[in-house]
Coordinates of all heavy atoms in Angstrom, one line a residue:
D29 N 259.4 -42.2 177.4 CA 259.1 -42.5 176.0 C 259.1 -41.1 175.2 O 258.6 -40.1 175.7 CB 257.7 -43.1 175.8 CG 257.7 -44.6 176.2 OD1 258.8 -45.1 176.4 OD2 256.6 -45.1 176.3
K30 N 259.7 -41.2 173.9 CA 259.6 -40.1 173.0 C 258.3 -40.2 172.3 O 257.9 -41.2 171.8 CB 260.7 -40.1 172.1 CG 260.8 -38.9 171.1 CD 262.0 -39.0 170.2 CE 262.0 -37.8 169.3 NZ 263.2 -37.8 168.4
V31 N 257.6 -39.0 172.2 CA 256.3 -39.0 171.4 C 256.3 -37.8 170.4 O 257.0 -36.8 170.7 CB 255.1 -38.8 172.4 CG1 255.0 -40.0 173.3 CG2 255.2 -37.6 173.2
G32 N 255.5 -38.0 169.4 CA 255.3 -37.0 168.4 C 253.9 -36.5 168.5 O 253.0 -37.2 169.0
K33 N 253.6 -35.3 168.1 CA 252.3 -34.7 168.1 C 251.3 -35.6 167.3 O 251.6 -36.0 166.2 CB 252.3 -33.3 167.6 CG 250.9 -32.6 167.7 CD 250.9 -31.2 167.2 CE 249.6 -30.5 167.3 NZ 249.7 -29.1 166.8
G34 N 250.2 -36.0 168.0 CA 249.3 -36.9 167.3 C 249.5 -38.4 167.7 O 248.6 -39.2 167.3
D35 N 250.5 -38.8 168.4 CA 250.7 -40.1 168.8 C 249.7 -40.4 169.9 O 249.4 -39.6 170.8 CB 252.1 -40.4 169.4 CG 253.2 -40.4 168.3 OD1 252.8 -40.5 167.1 OD2 254.4 -40.4 168.7
R36 N 249.2 -41.7 169.9 CA 248.2 -42.1 171.0 C 249.0 -42.3 172.2 O 250.0 -43.1 172.3 CB 247.5 -43.3 170.5 CG 246.2 -43.5 171.4 CD 245.3 -44.6 170.9 NE 245.8 -45.9 171.3 CZ 245.2 -47.1 171.1 NH1 244.0 -47.1 170.5 NH2 245.7 -48.2 171.5
L37 N 248.5 -41.7 173.3 CA 249.1 -41.9 174.7 C 248.3 -42.9 175.5 O 249.0 -43.6 176.3 CB 249.1 -40.5 175.4 CG 249.8 -39.4 174.7 CD1 249.6 -38.1 175.5 CD2 251.3 -39.7 174.6
A38 N 247.0 -42.9 175.4 CA 246.2 -43.8 176.3 C 244.8 -43.9 175.7 O 244.4 -43.1 174.8 CB 246.2 -43.2 177.7
V39 N 244.0 -44.8 176.3 CA 242.6 -45.0 176.0 C 241.8 -45.0 177.3 O 242.2 -45.7 178.2 CB 242.3 -46.3 175.2 CG1 240.9 -46.3 174.8 CG2 243.2 -46.3 173.9
L40 N 240.8 -44.2 177.4 CA 239.9 -44.2 178.5 C 238.7 -45.0 178.2 O 238.1 -45.0 177.1 CB 239.4 -42.8 178.8 CG 240.4 -41.7 178.9 CD1 239.8 -40.3 179.3 CD2 241.5 -42.0 179.9
Y41 N 238.2 -45.8 179.2 CA 237.1 -46.7 179.0 C 236.1 -46.5 180.1 O 236.4 -46.2 181.3 CB 237.5 -48.2 179.1 CG 238.5 -48.6 178.0 CD1 239.9 -48.6 178.3 CD2 238.0 -49.1 176.8 CE1 240.7 -49.0 177.3 CE2 238.9 -49.5 175.8 CZ 240.3 -49.5 176.1 OH 241.1 -49.9 175.1
T42 N 234.8 -46.6 179.8 CA 233.7 -46.4 180.8 C 232.4 -47.0 180.3 O 232.2 -47.0 179.1 CB 233.5 -45.0 181.2 OG1 232.6 -44.9 182.3 CG2 233.0 -44.1 180.1
S43 N 231.6 -47.4 181.2 CA 230.2 -47.7 180.9 C 229.2 -46.9 181.8 O 228.0 -47.1 181.7 CB 229.9 -49.2 181.2 OG 230.6 -50.1 180.3
S44 N 229.8 -46.0 182.5 CA 229.0 -45.1 183.4 C 228.6 -43.8 182.7 O 229.1 -43.5 181.6 CB 229.8 -44.8 184.6 OG 230.9 -44.0 184.3
E45 N 227.6 -43.2 183.3 CA 227.0 -41.9 182.7 C 227.9 -40.8 183.2 O 227.5 -40.0 184.1 CB 225.6 -41.7 183.1 CG 224.6 -42.8 182.6 CD 224.6 -42.8 181.0 OE1 224.6 -41.6 180.4 OE2 224.4 -43.8 180.4
C46 N 229.1 -40.7 182.6 CA 230.0 -39.6 183.0 C 230.3 -38.7 181.8 O 230.0 -39.0 180.7 CB 231.3 -40.2 183.6 SG 232.2 -41.2 182.4
D47 N 230.9 -37.5 182.1 CA 231.2 -36.6 181.0 C 232.6 -37.0 180.4 O 233.6 -36.5 180.8 CB 231.3 -35.2 181.6 CG 231.7 -34.1 180.6 OD1 231.8 -34.5 179.4 OD2 232.1 -33.0 181.0
L48 N 232.5 -37.9 179.5 CA 233.8 -38.5 179.0 C 234.6 -37.5 178.3 O 235.9 -37.5 178.4 CB 233.4 -39.7 178.0 CG 234.6 -40.5 177.5 CD1 235.5 -41.0 178.7 CD2 234.1 -41.7 176.6
E49 N 234.0 -36.5 177.5 CA 234.7 -35.5 176.8 C 235.5 -34.6 177.8 O 236.6 -34.2 177.6 CB 233.8 -34.7 175.9 CG 233.3 -35.5 174.8 CD 234.3 -36.0 173.8 OE1 235.3 -35.3 173.6 OE2 234.1 -37.1 173.3
G50 N 234.8 -34.2 178.9 CA 235.4 -33.4 179.9 C 236.5 -34.1 180.6 O 237.6 -33.5 180.9
I51 N 236.3 -35.3 180.9 CA 237.3 -36.1 181.6 C 238.6 -36.2 180.7 O 239.7 -36.1 181.2 CB 236.8 -37.5 181.9 CG1 235.7 -37.4 183.0 CG2 237.9 -38.5 182.4 CD1 235.0 -38.7 183.3
A52 N 238.3 -36.5 179.4 CA 239.4 -36.6 178.4 C 240.2 -35.3 178.4 O 241.5 -35.3 178.3 CB 238.9 -37.0 177.1
A53 N 239.6 -34.2 178.4 CA 240.2 -32.9 178.4 C 241.1 -32.7 179.6 O 242.2 -32.2 179.5 CB 239.2 -31.8 178.3
D54 N 240.6 -33.1 180.8 CA 241.4 -33.0 182.0 C 242.5 -34.0 182.0 O 243.5 -33.7 182.7 CB 240.5 -33.3 183.2 CG 239.4 -32.2 183.5 OD1 239.6 -31.1 182.9 OD2 238.4 -32.4 184.1
F55 N 242.4 -35.1 181.4 CA 243.4 -36.2 181.4 C 244.7 -35.7 180.7 O 245.8 -36.2 181.1 CB 242.9 -37.4 180.7 CG 243.8 -38.6 180.8 CD1 244.0 -39.2 182.0 CD2 244.5 -39.2 179.7 CE1 244.8 -40.3 182.2 CE2 245.3 -40.2 179.8 CZ 245.5 -40.9 181.1
A56 N 244.6 -34.7 179.8 CA 245.8 -34.2 179.2 C 246.8 -33.7 180.2 O 248.0 -33.7 180.0 CB 245.4 -33.1 178.2
G57 N 246.3 -33.2 181.4 CA 247.1 -32.7 182.4 C 247.8 -33.7 183.2 O 248.7 -33.4 184.1
V58 N 247.6 -35.0 183.0 CA 248.3 -36.1 183.7 C 249.7 -36.1 183.2 O 250.6 -36.5 184.0 CB 247.5 -37.4 183.4 CG1 248.4 -38.6 183.7 CG2 246.2 -37.4 184.2
F59 N 250.0 -35.8 182.0 CA 251.4 -35.9 181.4 C 252.2 -34.7 181.5 O 251.7 -33.6 181.4 CB 251.2 -36.3 179.9 CG 250.5 -37.6 179.6 CD1 249.2 -37.6 179.4 CD2 251.3 -38.8 179.6 CE1 248.5 -38.8 179.2 CE2 250.6 -40.0 179.3 CZ 249.2 -40.0 179.1
R60 N 253.5 -34.9 181.8 CA 254.5 -33.8 181.8 C 255.5 -34.1 180.7 O 255.9 -35.3 180.5 CB 255.2 -33.7 183.1 CG 254.3 -33.3 184.3 CD 255.1 -32.9 185.5 NE 256.0 -33.9 186.0 CZ 255.6 -34.9 186.8 NH1 254.3 -34.9 187.2 NH2 256.4 -35.8 187.2
Y61 N 255.9 -33.1 180.0 CA 256.8 -33.2 178.8 C 258.1 -32.4 179.1 O 258.2 -31.5 179.8 CB 256.2 -32.8 177.6 CG 254.9 -33.5 177.2 CD1 253.7 -33.0 177.6 CD2 255.0 -34.6 176.4 CE1 252.5 -33.7 177.3 CE2 253.8 -35.3 176.0 CZ 252.6 -34.8 176.5 OH 251.5 -35.5 176.1
G62 N 259.2 -32.9 178.4 CA 260.4 -32.2 178.5 C 261.5 -32.8 177.6 O 261.1 -33.6 176.6
S63 N 262.7 -32.6 177.8 CA 263.8 -33.1 177.0 C 264.2 -34.5 177.6 O 263.8 -34.8 178.7 CB 265.0 -32.2 177.0 OG 265.5 -32.1 178.4
R64 N 265.0 -35.2 176.8 CA 265.4 -36.5 177.3 C 266.2 -36.4 178.6 O 266.0 -37.3 179.5 CB 266.3 -37.2 176.3 CG 266.8 -38.6 176.7 CD 267.9 -39.1 175.7 NE 267.4 -39.4 174.4 CZ 266.8 -40.5 174.1 NH1 266.6 -41.4 175.0 NH2 266.3 -40.7 172.8
S65 N 266.9 -35.3 178.8 CA 267.7 -35.2 180.0 C 266.8 -35.0 181.2 O 267.3 -35.1 182.4 CB 268.7 -34.0 179.9 OG 268.0 -32.8 179.7

C-alpha cells in the first residue's frame, strides 16, 4: 500500500494495565518503507 505522512496505519486495543504509549512508540518499528519496486 502507498501511504502519506499522517495516514492511519493501525489501531491498538487493550483493557490491560500496560504502557500503551510506549507500546505504540515501539509499534512504529513494525513497518518497513520503500519504493514501489
Side-chain angles (χ1 to χ4, degrees):
D29 287 350
K30 183 179 181 180
V31 297
K33 185 176 181 179
D35 287 348
R36 195 173 81 172
L37 300 175
V39 183
L40 310 183
Y41 298 95
T42 187
S43 296
S44 65
E45 295 297 324
C46 61
D47 178 12
L48 188 54
E49 293 299 323
I51 292 171
D54 291 342
F55 188 67
V58 162
F59 297 91
R60 295 192 301 275
Y61 299 90
S63 63
R64 181 188 293 276
S65 61

